[in-house]
């Protein structure tokens, strides 16, 4: 029925909020996790990356499964897996157990994220209502990623880090109920096979790349392990392309890349995630560990980004109905880049307010870009391919977060090693991952200055990624 479409939007937005909240909600809990579980700096990176990596690795497969066996069915299964994995995260007593559970969360999240846009497109025909629905979904994405630190701070400070995962249980149960009660089933009516081999080679290529980026400083970039992982990642990627070009029903239809607008929106999704969302991890470590704010206080300091993003997103979605999408992509990504550059005002003597202008400008950029990414992603393909398009677009988002965290982390850790601990990257990373008050007094000034210098470097890199994405998107996206 017509009124059920808004329940469909409610189910999709609830699930999307929950799964994206878990990308950033853990950031403010990382210092507590490090102490409680005796985790290393690499473990802290994997707490975020294990989730984002699994989310990215299985999105294409989940989108294809949704097209073939039913999008509501895959969406509901993902919700259940996500809730179970959240419980496992909450009861984990070692970094390994937590990161394995986080990866399982990512698998469940991929099933929800890959089918979200397809369910919205099915429920809302092309027109003003679809624009409104996708605008609400885009605002949900921006709000979830930005509000995560605040929610994580509240939970960690008052209930313990475990509560950030147990919070998903009632939210997930509510989403399952309204999905089964109100959401209509939809799928591609053609009989198509599942491209298991393509999905496997893509997942392997992505995992090996991120693993090499995360472990490169510690193992040595010229070490046999890292070189092997990078070469194998390339080999699996080439195998994936070869498979997709030959298989009858590909997981990833490479023919979509003949569409300039599809290329542009994919770059925008990757660039926004790699430039802005990946930076939340390192900004959180700075605010908590270096400036000494509690988890809740740190979360509150990200609130300006949340509010601006949430306010701008629905306005952008409505304005975009009458204007070229590439204009909004260009403005939004340029604002993200400008905001990241403004955050580089931080010095060893600065307080968090030095970040505030950048938070506001970048938040406006996120709100301007997110809803347009969503609408263009499903607007350039046939309705029967909505699941694949949604999955590919979401894959670029999550690959951006996973590789952004790993790549920026490699530069960050290397800069810390040279500025704090000579040739000992492990020691430099360890000192950066604990509160400054616990660092030996004779090293505090060096650690703080090294941290600020490293943060300054990766903010510049992230800004350049945002500007490059803006230029590429404006050049590629058409009506």
């Amino acid at each position: 029925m017509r009124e059920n479409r808004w329940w469909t939007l409610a189910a999709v937005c609830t699930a999307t909020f929950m799964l994206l909240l878990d990308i950033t909600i853990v950031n403010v809990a990382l210092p507590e996790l490090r102490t409680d579980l005796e985790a290393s700096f690499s473990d802290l990176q994997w707490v975020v990356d294990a989730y984002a990596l699994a989310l990215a690795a299985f999105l294409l497969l989940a989108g294809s499964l949704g097209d073939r066996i039913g999008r509501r069915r895959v969406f509901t299964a993902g919700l259940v897996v996500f809730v179970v994995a959240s419980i496992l995260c909450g009861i984990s007593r070692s970094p390994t157990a937590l990161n394995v559970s986080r990866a399982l969360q990512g698998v469940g999240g991929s099933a929800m994220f890959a089918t979200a846009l397809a369910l919205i497109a099915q429920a809302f025909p092309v027109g003003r209502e679809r624009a409104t629905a996708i605008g609400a979904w885009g605002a949900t994405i921006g709000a979830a990623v930005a509000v995560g630190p605040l929610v994580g701070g509240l939970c960690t400070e008052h209930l313990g880090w475990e509560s950030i995962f147990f919070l998903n249980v009632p939210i997930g149960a509510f989403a399952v109920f309204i999905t089964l009660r109100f959401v209509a089933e939809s799928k591609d009516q053609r009989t198509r096979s599942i491209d298991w081999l393509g999905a496997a080679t893509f997942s392997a290529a992505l995992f090996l790349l991120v693993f090499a980026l995360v472990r490169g400083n510690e193992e040595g970039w010229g070490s046999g392990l890292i070189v092997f992982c990078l070469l194998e990642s390339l080999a699996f990627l080439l195998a994936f392309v070869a498979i997709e070009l030959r298989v009858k029903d590909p997981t990833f239809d490479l023919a979509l890349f003949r569409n300039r607008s599809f290329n542009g929106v994919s770059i925008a999704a990757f660039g926004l995630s790699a430039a802005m969302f990946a930076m939340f991890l390192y900004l959180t470590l700075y605010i908590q560990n270096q400036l000494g704010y509690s988890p809740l206080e740190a979360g509150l300091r990200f609130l300006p980004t949340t509010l601006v993003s949430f306010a701008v997103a629905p306005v952008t979605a409505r304005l975009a109905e009458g204007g070229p999408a590439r204009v909004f992509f260009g403005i939004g990504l340029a604002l993200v880049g400008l905001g990241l550059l403004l955050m580089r005002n931080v010095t060893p003597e600065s307080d968090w307010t030095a970040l505030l202008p950048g938070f506001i400008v970048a938040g406006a950029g996120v709100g301007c870009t997110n809803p347009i990414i969503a609408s263009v992603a499903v607007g350039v393909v046939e309705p029967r391919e909505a699941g694949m398009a949604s999955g590919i677009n979401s894959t670029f988002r999550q690959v951006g977060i996973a590789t952004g965290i790993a790549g920026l982390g490699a530069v960050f850790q290397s800069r810390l090693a040279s500025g704090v601990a000579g040739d000992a990257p492990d020691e430099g990373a360890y000192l950066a991952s604990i509160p400054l008050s616990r660092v030996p007094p004779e090293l505090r000034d060096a650690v703080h200055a090294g941290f600020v210098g490293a943060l300054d470097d990766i903010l510049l890199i992230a800004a350049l990624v945002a500007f490059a994405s803006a230029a590429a998107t404006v050049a590629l996206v058409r009506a």
Side-chain angles (χ1 to χ4, degrees):
M1 292 186 293
R2 184 178 176 85
E3 60 269 20
N4 285 354
R5 67 182 57 191
W6 298 107
W7 281 109
T8 298
L9 180 63
V12 170
C13 287
T14 299
T16 300
F17 184 84
M18 179 177 65
L19 73 92
L20 289 178
L21 192 69
D22 268 46
I23 294 176
T24 55
I25 193 173
V26 300
N27 286 342
V28 294
L30 291 177
E32 299 293 329
L33 281 167
R34 197 211 68 79
T35 301
D36 198 16
L37 302 183
E38 299 181 352
S40 67
F41 183 78
S42 291
D43 289 330
L44 297 184
Q45 285 181 290
W46 277 112
V47 170
V48 180
D49 254 355
Y51 179 72
L53 179 59
L55 195 56
F58 290 97
L59 273 168
L60 292 178
L61 179 60
S64 295
L65 285 173
D67 285 343
R68 289 159 174 77
I69 68 174
R71 292 153 189 159
R72 188 186 76 156
R73 183 179 299 175
V74 171
F75 182 80
T76 305
L79 276 168
V80 173
V81 170
F82 190 89
V83 169
V84 171
S86 297
I87 296 172
L88 294 176
C89 287
I91 63 176
S92 296
R93 303 316 306 164
S94 71
T96 300
L98 176 59
N99 290 334
V100 170
S101 300
R102 286 282 286 168
L104 184 59
Q105 267 192 316
V107 174
S110 69
M112 293 185 284
F113 209 14
T115 52
L117 270 178
L119 288 172
I120 292 176
Q122 172 72 19
F124 293 88
V126 175
R128 182 172 295 275
E129 283 192 344
R130 176 183 281 193
T132 300
I134 291 181
W137 187 72
T140 299
I141 292 176
V145 174
V147 82
L150 176 60
V151 178
L154 281 167
C155 292
T156 302
E157 193 161 322
H158 296 289
L159 301 172
W161 65 263
E162 297 89 347
S163 63
I164 65 179
F165 300 111
F166 293 142
L167 179 66
N168 294 327
V169 178
I171 298 175
F174 172 73
V176 169
F177 169 75
I178 58 177
T179 299
L180 294 177
R181 177 69 177 82
F182 297 108
V183 177
E185 185 60 279
S186 67
K187 62 181 178 180
D188 187 347
Q189 297 302 317
R190 296 173 297 172
T191 302
R192 306 175 68 191
S193 59
I194 296 175
D195 177 22
W196 298 106
L197 189 58
T201 51
F202 177 81
S203 299
L206 187 59
F207 174 80
L208 289 167
L209 173 62
V210 173
F211 179 85
L213 291 173
V214 170
R215 298 292 301 175
N217 281 312
E218 295 179 29
E219 301 291 340
W221 290 100
S223 68
L225 175 63
I226 299 304
V227 172
F228 172 80
C229 286
L230 291 173
L231 291 176
E232 283 297 299
S233 175
L234 178 60
F236 275 116
L237 181 61
L238 293 175
F240 169 72
V241 172
I243 291 167
E244 299 309 282
L245 289 173
R246 289 169 173 78
V247 72
K248 180 182 176 182
D249 298 312
T251 296
F252 194 136
D253 187 358
L254 298 177
L256 288 172
F257 287 115
R258 297 172 187 164
N259 185 315
R260 289 165 57 93
S261 294
F262 187 81
N263 293 339
V265 72
S266 299
I267 291 171
F270 177 90
L272 179 64
S273 296
M276 186 62 197
F277 295 155
M279 278 301 307
F280 278 113
L281 169 62
Y282 304 102
L283 290 169
T284 302
L285 288 175
Y286 169 71
I287 291 173
Q288 282 190 254
N289 285 353
Q290 300 300 304
L291 299 184
Y293 288 101
S294 70
L296 177 57
E297 290 170 338
L300 286 170
R301 277 148 184 82
F302 284 104
L303 197 57
T305 306
T306 305
L307 296 177
V308 172
S309 173
F310 198 80
V312 169
V315 176
T316 300
R318 289 187 176 275
L319 290 175
E321 292 182 54
R326 62 176 175 166
V327 171
F328 295 95
F329 278 138
I331 293 173
L333 288 166
L335 286 173
V336 169
L338 177 60
L340 291 166
L341 288 181
L342 289 173
M343 296 179 206
R344 298 184 74 229
N345 290 326
V346 171
T347 68
E349 293 74 34
S350 296
D351 194 9
W352 81 276
T353 51
L355 297 170
L356 185 57
F359 279 178
I360 293 173
V361 173
V366 171
C368 187
T369 308
N370 253 331
I372 312 304
I373 291 176
S375 60
V376 174
V378 295
V380 297
V381 300
E382 295 293 331
R384 66 174 180 270
E385 293 183 314
M388 179 184 291
S390 176
I392 292 172
N393 180 257
S394 298
T395 296
F396 274 96
R397 288 180 186 267
Q398 300 312 313
V399 170
I401 292 175
T403 57
I405 287 174
L408 293 174
V411 175
F412 183 80
Q413 194 172 347
S414 177
R415 177 73 165 79
L416 277 172
S418 61
V420 176
D423 295 323
D426 287 344
E427 180 65 17
Y430 167 74
L431 292 172
S433 68
I434 62 176
L436 194 63
S437 60
R438 298 185 190 174
V439 175
E442 66 274 14
L443 293 178
R444 285 177 189 169
D445 288 344
V447 169
H448 190 54
F451 195 108
V452 170
L455 185 67
D456 191 72
D457 287 349
I458 63 175
L459 281 167
L460 176 60
I461 294 171
L464 292 175
V465 170
F467 288 132
S469 300
T473 304
V474 169
L476 290 169
V477 173
R478 292 294 181 266

